[in-house]
């Protein structure tokens, strides 16, 4: 095992799998080989070993029901829509309540979809009684973006319930039928974000080709898994996602969360197979730069915060560096900049964006502003 010094204080604990090297030892040297061979291999490994497999895609029973009549909000600048996204399966019914603020505009608008992992009343705040920067709908609308949000708990409760509640119970009512690669809760939340995309495809006020999925922390892990699978999202944003998100597992970052710790604290997040890698990171056939790479050649943005050592900031950055060769196969730039940047100096020169914000573990207005800058640069040329 070689070790490699990357940034001060952060040494790779073991060799990192090469994102381009196929299982039979060849190098994916073109976009065609990446798409036909290497990308499917990596996606399969993440399904089998990390997040688990979904038993269902878009349900045939999916339907959209208004919760309230559309109304003008944000000082008359936007239309608010509230929609229940409903589905049924052998175990009953599920429902995701979606809130959307869509700027009034002559043409369909680009959109940010927040996977909200904090209380919906306070953080989504559909009536905008006390707007919170976690979901800054007013700022998004002012810059021409629709602001959509749903609560992850609508899809699946964030608790280890034995996979009987939420969408797991709807589509697999007998938990004994689960296998070591059955979907965990992060995969369920990501599935929910794809159902929001199904609604977007039915909404003429929104431009379905310019949709970003955004998540913070456990929501950031979810956004990455969603963007990896669902190529309808043009931009995937991981805010402080850490372990199981953008952070490289093989980087030696003692203050950050490990696979053993995350599986102990949150036994429902990943599939059963993932548990065998606690303390054995070097045996995991993937690392998290490969999750970032699954988004290629689309846009991806990873952000960290200076006080968020638990998320392992240099490991989040390094995944972007190591995923970059995949964008090059398409003749595109991935991350522009190979050294860990100073705080508050975003790297936005390529298709991978990165910044390290001054402050704590949070989704702050600074983060949103940088995501909008990045989207402006790519979508409003
Ligand atoms: C922590 C967990 C992290 C992160 C965070 C959050 O307790 O260890 O992986 O997901 O919660 O979601 O805020």
């Amino acid at each position: 095992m070689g070790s490699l010094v990357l940034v001060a204080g952060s040494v790779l604990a073991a060799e990192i799998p090469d994102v381009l090297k196929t299982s039979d030892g060849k190098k994916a040297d073109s976009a065609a080989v990446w798409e036909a061979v290497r990308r499917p291999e990596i996606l399969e490994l993440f399904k089998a070993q990390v997040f688990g497999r979904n038993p269902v895609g878009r349900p045939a029973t999916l339907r959209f029901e208004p919760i309230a009549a559309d109304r003008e909000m944000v000082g008359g600048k936007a239309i608010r829509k509230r929609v229940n996204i409903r589905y049924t399966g052998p175990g009953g019914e599920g429902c995701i309540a979606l809130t959307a603020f869509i700027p009034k505009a002559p043409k369909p608008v680009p959109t940010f979809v927040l996977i909200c992992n904090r209380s919906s009343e306070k953080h989504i705040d559909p009536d905008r009684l006390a707007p919170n920067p976690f979901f800054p709908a007013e700022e998004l609308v002012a810059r021409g973006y629709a602001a959509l949000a749903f609560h992850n708990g609508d899809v699946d409760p964030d608790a280890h319930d034995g996979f009987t509640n939420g969408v797991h119970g709807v589509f697999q009512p007998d938990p004994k039928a689960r296998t070591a690669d059955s979907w965990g809760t992060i995969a369920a939340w990501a599935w929910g974000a794809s159902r929001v995309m199904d609604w977007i495809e039915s909404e003429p006020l929104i431009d379905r080709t310019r949709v970003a999925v955004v998540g913070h922390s456990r929501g950031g892990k979810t956004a990455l898994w969603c963007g990896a699978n669902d190529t309808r999202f043009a931009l995937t944003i991981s805010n402080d996602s850490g372990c199981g998100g953008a952070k490289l597992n093989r980087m030696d970052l003692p203050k950050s969360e490990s696979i053993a710790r995350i599986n102990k604290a949150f036994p429902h997040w990943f599939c059963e197979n993932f548990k065998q890698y606690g303390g054995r990171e070097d045996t995991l056939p993937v690392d998290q730069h490969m999750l970032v790479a699954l988004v290629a050649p689309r846009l991806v943005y990873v952000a960290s915060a200076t006080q968020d050592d638990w998320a392992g900031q240099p490991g989040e950055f390094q995944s972007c560096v190591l995923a970059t060769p995949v964008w090059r196969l398409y003749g595109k730039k991935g991350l522009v900049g190979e050294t860990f940047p100073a705080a508050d100096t975003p790297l936005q020169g390529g298709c991978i964006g990165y910044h390290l914000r001054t402050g704590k573990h949070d989704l702050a207005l600074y983060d949103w502003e940088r995501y909008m800058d990045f989207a402006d640069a790519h979508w409003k040329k």
Side-chain angles (χ1 to χ4, degrees):
M1 287 289 161
S3 67
L4 174 66
V5 179
L6 289 168
V7 281
S10 307
V11 177
L12 294 177
E15 270 174 23
I16 298 180
D18 183 338
V19 69
L20 294 180
K21 198 161 144 196
T22 63
S23 57
D24 59 7
K26 299 201 183 99
K27 191 116 179 160
D29 56 1
S30 68
V33 177
W34 166 256
E35 285 180 19
V37 182
R38 187 56 176 153
R39 186 180 191 283
E41 272 180 10
I42 294 174
L43 194 58
E44 168 58 25
L45 287 169
F46 273 101
K47 283 181 189 168
Q49 304 298 328
V50 183
F51 295 105
R53 289 177 210 284
N54 300 359
V56 61
R58 178 184 170 133
T61 56
L62 196 74
R63 61 195 196 282
F64 311 120
E65 287 174 2
I67 299 174
D70 296 352
R71 54 176 273 207
E72 281 188 0
M73 283 188 65
V74 193
K77 294 194 198 77
I79 307 290
R80 186 194 69 178
K81 293 184 179 240
R82 297 192 66 200
V83 183
N84 274 332
I85 300 174
R86 293 189 183 277
Y87 41 89
T88 47
E93 197 194 25
C95 178
I96 303 166
L98 175 68
T99 300
F101 297 96
I102 309 175
K104 292 188 194 161
K107 285 196 289 193
V109 293
T111 297
F112 285 81
V113 178
L114 174 66
I115 301 162
C116 182
N117 58 306
R118 294 189 181 165
S119 76
S120 41
E121 203 178 312
K122 181 159 171 234
H123 294 91
I124 297 178
D125 187 12
D127 293 324
R128 309 312 284 169
L129 299 174
N132 187 302
F134 199 77
F135 179 54
E138 290 73 11
E139 283 78 4
L140 286 156
V141 164
R143 287 182 62 167
Y145 292 98
L148 273 57
F150 71 99
H151 189 247
N152 61 342
D154 285 1
V155 188
D156 201 49
D158 191 0
H160 191 33
D161 57 31
F163 302 103
T164 51
N165 294 337
V167 73
H168 293 111
V170 170
F171 292 106
Q172 262 179 344
D174 179 8
K176 289 198 288 300
R178 288 177 59 85
T179 50
D181 61 354
S182 288
W183 59 341
T185 294
I186 291 174
W189 295 334
W191 177 93
S194 287
R195 304 293 67 81
V196 172
M197 179 55 104
D198 295 338
W199 176 77
I200 287 171
E201 289 186 328
S202 77
E203 174 48 64
L205 299 179
I206 294 181
D207 176 0
R208 65 172 75 175
T209 70
R210 292 180 293 166
V211 180
V213 60
V214 189
H216 166 64
S217 202
R218 64 198 72 189
K221 310 178 210 296
T222 307
L224 283 172
W225 186 230
C226 173
N229 281 285
D230 193 336
T231 58
R232 296 175 296 174
F233 287 97
L235 165 58
T236 298
I237 302 173
S238 147
N239 194 83
D240 303 355
S241 62
C243 181
K247 189 201 78 161
L248 268 189
N249 296 305
R250 284 169 174 80
M251 216 160 160
D252 187 17
L253 298 163
K255 289 189 196 153
S256 79
E257 188 172 29
S258 64
I259 293 178
R261 288 286 297 267
I262 205 167
N263 280 323
K264 187 156 189 281
F266 307 100
H268 55 297
W269 280 2
F270 300 92
C271 74
E272 203 53 35
N273 275 336
F274 192 51
K275 300 203 168 128
Q276 66 189 290
Y277 300 107
R280 299 176 61 227
E281 279 75 1
D282 56 325
T283 62
L284 185 65
V286 289
D287 212 321
Q288 302 306 110
H289 61 307
M290 293 152 84
L291 179 61
V292 174
L294 287 173
V295 181
R298 290 165 292 137
L299 303 170
V300 64
Y301 200 116
V302 172
S304 313
T306 53
Q307 292 167 30
D308 191 13
D309 293 342
W310 189 238
Q313 310 94 329
E316 295 176 316
F317 171 75
Q318 200 59 35
S319 279
C320 300
V321 174
L322 296 177
T324 285
V326 180
W327 274 265
R328 293 207 186 107
L329 295 179
Y330 290 86
K332 292 179 181 237
K333 289 177 185 162
L335 185 75
V336 176
E338 288 203 343
T339 44
F340 193 48
D344 310 318
T345 51
L347 302 176
Q348 299 197 348
C351 294
I352 306 179
Y354 179 84
H355 71 246
L356 172 70
R357 169 180 51 76
T358 297
K360 63 184 174 61
H361 182 72
D362 198 4
L363 175 53
L365 193 55
Y366 175 90
D367 299 308
W368 281 105
E369 285 170 343
R370 301 298 76 77
Y371 302 149
M372 288 191 275
D373 294 345
F374 188 68
D376 283 356
H378 288 277
W379 290 346
K380 297 186 178 172
K381 279 178 217 165

